[in-house]
């Protein structure tokens, strides 16, 4: 396994990252340092104890989608491939093959859960032994996943609109609802979700990303994830426009 780890300022110098508590940020760095060459950590609770972080810090990283948890207790660093490039002569593939099989890369190179095919194992939050996050730990951030009642969030209408525009058949699963609720708690509304769908359908239809059809990323975990605001405020490209690329060689 490679012995060096790097961190991208595109992730750790964002306002979204800096809003977290110092111990949550420290835990994130510890998890990255302990991850294997594919970004997986098999003992996140042990790393939490080593770093001096708390149960709430681990939950915050999950709620803010800096890490992705699996039923097995394993977590993966969502932006691992943005942080690190592992040389082939030092790379060792993860032992967590099943968990890795549930992931795709989004347009920015970050991991997202593959929601297009059924899985025998549903990702969930790591059980940290507490029923809820303390409000003092989360402050007044709109990222608190329990801020707003499900009764006011139009999950079905959002998923139906996505299916209508993409010709897909996504269902209103708990995993999809988690992404929608996170953005709704940030005060985005129904029209914002529809605009994101419209923007990315226009941008990705007929395009390829890393040799793969870009339409495969037209799914809730990608569209309604942490890049939501960027997608919302992006001007849809016409077919003849050149496609912009970042320094990773991937479209924004």
């Amino acid at each position: 396994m490679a012995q060096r780890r790097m961190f991208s300022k595109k992730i750790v110098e964002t306002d979204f990252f800096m809003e977290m508590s110092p111990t949550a940020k420290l835990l994130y760095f510890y998890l990255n340092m302990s991850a294997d060459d594919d970004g997986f950590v098999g003992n996140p609770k042990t790393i939490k104890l080593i770093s001096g972080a708390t149960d709430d810090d681990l939950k915050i990283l999950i709620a803010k989608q800096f890490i992705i948890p699996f039923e097995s207790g394993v977590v993966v660093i969502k932006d691992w491939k943005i942080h690190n490039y592992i040389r082939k002569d030092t790379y060792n593939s993860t032992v967590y093959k099943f968990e890795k099989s549930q992931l795709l890369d989004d347009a920015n190179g970050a991991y997202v859960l593959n929601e297009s095919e059924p899985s025998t194992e549903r990702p969930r939050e790591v059980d940290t032994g507490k029923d809820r996050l303390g409000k003092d730990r989360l402050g007044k951030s709109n990222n608190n996943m329990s801020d707003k009642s499900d009764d006011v969030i139009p999950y079905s209408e959002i998923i139906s609109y996505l299916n209508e525009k993409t010709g897909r058949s996504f269902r209103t699963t708990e995993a999809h609802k988690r992404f929608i609720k996170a953005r709704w708690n940030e005060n985005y509304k129904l029209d914002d979700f529809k605009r994101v769908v419209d923007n990315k359908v226009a941008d990705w239809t007929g395009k390829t990303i890393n040799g793969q059809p870009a339409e495969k990323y037209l799914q809730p975990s990608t569209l309604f994830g942490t890049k939501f605001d960027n997608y919302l405020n992006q001007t849809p490209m016409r077919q003849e426009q050149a496609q912009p690329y970042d320094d990773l060689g991937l479209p924004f």
Side-chain angles (χ1 to χ4, degrees):
M1 184 173 74
Q3 299 300 307
R4 296 181 180 179
R5 298 295 182 239
M6 302 183 68
F7 297 91
S8 171
K9 294 198 295 184
K10 291 183 177 180
I11 307 300
V12 300
E13 288 190 356
T14 61
D15 290 342
F16 197 61
F17 183 86
M18 298 304 294
E19 287 171 354
M20 293 193 299
S21 67
T23 50
K25 287 182 281 191
L26 181 62
L27 176 58
Y28 182 74
F29 288 124
Y30 263 89
L31 289 170
N32 274 266
M33 294 302 299
S34 302
D36 64 21
D37 289 351
D38 286 307
F40 289 85
V41 182
N43 57 340
K45 292 184 180 180
T46 299
I47 303 303
K48 178 198 69 178
L49 294 174
I50 293 172
S51 70
T54 67
D55 292 339
D56 284 356
D57 294 322
L58 190 58
K59 282 191 173 184
I60 287 172
L61 292 179
I62 294 171
K64 286 181 173 284
Q65 301 174 41
F66 285 107
I67 60 176
I68 299 173
F70 296 90
E71 184 74 26
S72 60
V74 173
V75 301
V76 68
I77 310 299
K78 178 180 177 66
D79 297 304
W80 178 256
K81 294 182 181 180
I82 298 176
H83 289 310
N84 291 280
Y85 172 78
I86 308 298
R87 286 170 25 208
K88 290 183 179 180
D89 61 332
T90 61
Y91 168 77
N92 289 300
S93 180
T94 184
V95 299
Y96 304 109
K97 306 295 185 184
F98 180 75
E99 287 81 1
K100 188 176 180 180
S101 71
Q102 298 180 52
L103 299 173
L104 294 172
D105 294 344
D106 72 7
N108 302 286
Y111 285 130
V112 294
L113 290 171
N114 182 2
E115 302 290 353
S116 60
E117 297 181 0
S119 170
T120 58
E121 185 172 336
R122 184 183 296 276
R124 63 168 173 81
E125 288 190 356
V126 175
D127 180 8
T128 57
K130 287 191 175 182
D131 293 332
R132 63 184 294 273
L133 289 172
K135 289 185 178 179
D136 290 341
R137 298 290 299 170
L138 285 172
K140 297 181 179 179
S141 171
N142 285 326
N143 293 306
N144 185 339
M145 296 293 288
S146 62
D147 280 349
K148 297 183 180 179
S149 169
D150 280 6
D151 295 338
V152 303
I153 304 176
Y155 294 115
S156 296
E157 188 170 353
I158 291 169
I159 295 298
S160 294
Y161 189 81
L162 174 60
N163 287 337
E164 175 188 341
K165 294 297 182 179
T166 62
R168 308 285 286 277
S169 300
F170 293 111
R171 295 179 296 171
T172 310
T173 64
E174 290 302 315
H176 294 159
K177 289 169 69 174
R178 185 171 68 247
F179 289 106
I180 294 171
K181 187 170 186 177
R183 305 290 79 78
W184 195 269
N185 285 340
E186 294 171 348
N187 290 324
Y188 293 107
K189 302 304 179 186
L190 177 60
D191 286 346
D192 297 323
F193 285 88
K194 291 183 176 181
R195 187 174 299 112
V196 165
V197 171
D198 290 341
N199 285 351
K200 300 318 292 179
V201 166
D203 286 347
W204 286 346
T205 297
K207 304 290 180 61
T208 60
I209 298 174
N210 294 331
Q212 298 292 322
E215 288 96 330
K216 69 186 286 187
Y217 298 110
L218 294 171
Q219 56 178 296
S221 58
T222 303
L223 299 178
F224 309 145
T226 56
K227 305 297 183 183
F228 186 89
D229 193 66
N230 290 341
Y231 296 157
L232 176 64
N233 290 285
Q234 177 180 336
T235 302
M237 292 182 294
R238 298 187 302 274
Q239 189 68 29
E240 66 270 15
Q241 285 182 288
Q243 190 172 11
Y245 285 81
D246 63 14
D247 58 4
L248 295 173
L250 299 174
F252 286 100

